[in-house]
Amino acid sequence: MKEITPRDWDHWPTPAQLSELSKKADGLFHYAVTALHWIEDQIDEHGRACQSWVFNNLTQEGGLGQLEDLYKLVLASFKNIDNPPRNEQRHRARLAGFQHVIGTILVLQEQLTISQIIALLADIPMGNLDVRHFMQQMRSVLIPGTITSFDDAIPQMHKSFRDYIMDRHAPAEFRVLTGHAHFVTARSCMEVIVKAGSRSDVILEYSVQHWYRHLWKAVDGDVTYEDERMWNLFQHMMEEAVVHVWATTYLMDLFIAVAATGWGLLKQHADKDKRQGISRLLRKVKL
């Protein structure tokens, strides 16, 4: 606690507050670490204003009764869903951004650093969600322990939070569905590929190697693909300059994954144009 408390905050927290915190944590290390990270986040964001309520929120509102309650408290710090939103459109956009970022982290096929994930998710409009600020805000559940560089840190969600956010116990507004997570991640990868140009870096390499794998798993997750942005990207993916970017990976795996996507669309009775779009993309794969 001493490491996260500003030096000029005399007599805070009180011994009684620390004792209550320790008692409620009940020896559960991950619990204590998450709680301390959350307190640190509140200090960074609110300064001295949080002195009067941060411990009360943890110890009186159930924050340390169970891990689920602590996670709800962390989520409420991002978006309090109990109060009616002033702007419904912005409210929905922020929650969609939450599901996009957290979902992508959950389904990544390789470890990426914070800065690399931010680059991958450049398709999230800044007006909807500042991804970097969001990840800083959620670091209590994304990054275990102390780090020397936020940008170079690799998110490592505790299994309990992973299970919670993908389970019915999480508020529906925050719940992450695996199929949808793969879908938005595939879309982000395709956006990187379409805009690659002469770019060559870890994010492009990840996108080229995994866009179709995410797409395939999205089909397995029963995603409906009713998303115009995705179909616009499919059109761009068939441009010759773009084909040269993505057709450098394991073509047999790519062919199978895209074919499975087409089969999934057929089972969903998707319209003819969408099925034909998948067929045209398959013809671009030269085995």
Side-chain angles (χ1 to χ4, degrees):
M1 190 72 203
K2 184 183 296 185
E3 287 77 9
I4 68 173
T5 305
R7 293 182 180 180
D8 58 344
W9 287 23
D10 297 330
H11 312 299
W12 189 92
T14 66
Q17 288 172 321
L18 288 176
S19 176
E20 182 69 10
L21 183 65
S22 177
K23 183 171 66 175
K24 294 286 187 179
D26 195 27
L28 187 56
F29 176 75
H30 169 67
Y31 209 86
V33 169
T34 302
L36 289 174
H37 276 307
W38 182 79
I39 292 172
E40 183 179 17
D41 291 345
Q42 306 318 300
I43 291 172
D44 289 344
E45 184 166 351
H46 301 284
R48 288 183 181 274
C50 76
Q51 286 183 339
S52 62
W53 51 261
V54 68
F55 273 91
N56 286 340
N57 283 8
L58 277 171
T59 59
Q60 293 181 14
E61 295 183 13
L64 290 177
Q66 296 180 6
L67 270 174
E68 286 185 10
D69 294 324
L70 179 57
Y71 291 148
K72 286 178 183 176
L73 191 60
V74 173
L75 296 179
S77 300
F78 165 69
K79 191 71 178 174
N80 190 343
I81 58 174
D82 293 329
N83 297 329
R86 294 181 180 178
N87 185 315
E88 183 65 29
Q89 184 176 359
R90 176 166 170 72
H91 173 75
R92 291 180 180 277
R94 282 179 60 77
L95 289 174
F98 172 94
Q99 292 179 335
H100 192 156
V101 177
I102 297 297
T104 292
I105 293 171
L106 285 169
V107 301
L108 280 175
Q109 304 296 291
E110 298 176 15
Q111 287 189 333
L112 296 177
T113 66
I114 294 288
S115 62
Q116 290 166 347
I117 292 170
I118 292 170
L120 175 63
L121 301 180
D123 60 321
I124 299 178
M126 181 71 76
N128 291 351
L129 186 75
D130 182 332
V131 176
R132 191 177 196 283
H133 178 75
F134 166 74
M135 295 182 77
Q136 287 178 319
Q137 193 176 4
M138 297 294 293
R139 63 182 175 178
S140 59
V141 293
L142 294 181
I143 305 171
T146 304
I147 57 173
T148 55
S149 169
F150 176 77
D151 287 342
D152 294 335
I154 295 175
Q156 297 178 33
M157 287 185 195
H158 193 272
K159 184 179 183 298
S160 60
F161 182 72
R162 178 185 293 266
D163 292 344
Y164 169 75
I165 204 66
M166 300 176 75
D167 187 76
R168 59 182 177 82
H169 294 298
E173 293 86 347
F174 292 107
R175 194 175 306 142
V176 174
L177 302 178
T178 305
H180 179 263
H182 279 293
F183 179 81
V184 293
T185 305
R187 193 178 63 195
S188 292
C189 289
M190 291 166 68
E191 190 90 36
V192 169
I193 292 169
V194 165
K195 296 181 178 179
S198 58
R199 171 180 179 172
S200 177
D201 59 15
V202 172
I203 300 309
L204 179 58
E205 182 179 344
Y206 179 90
S207 299
V208 168
Q209 290 181 359
H210 296 293
W211 70 272
Y212 55 92
R213 294 188 173 102
H214 287 299
L215 199 64
W216 190 356
K217 291 182 179 181
V219 171
D220 287 344
D222 293 326
V223 173
T224 62
Y225 284 78
E226 295 300 325
D227 184 287
E228 287 305 314
R229 282 178 59 196
M230 176 65 89
W231 292 105
N232 288 337
L233 286 169
F234 268 121
Q235 295 300 318
H236 290 299
M237 291 284 282
M238 288 181 278
E239 297 170 2
E240 288 303 319
V242 180
V243 171
H244 289 308
V245 175
W246 58 259
T248 57
T249 187
Y250 308 106
L251 295 183
M252 180 59 75
D253 289 349
L254 192 157
F255 185 90
I256 293 171
V258 176
T261 301
W263 177 247
L265 289 173
L266 187 63
K267 290 194 295 183
Q268 292 174 8
H269 306 291
D271 64 61
K272 184 178 179 181
D273 288 342
K274 289 182 172 60
R275 298 197 303 271
Q276 288 181 341
I278 292 293
S279 297
R280 288 194 296 272
L281 190 64
L282 281 171
R283 289 197 291 271
K284 294 290 184 180
V285 182
K286 299 175 182 177
L287 298 176

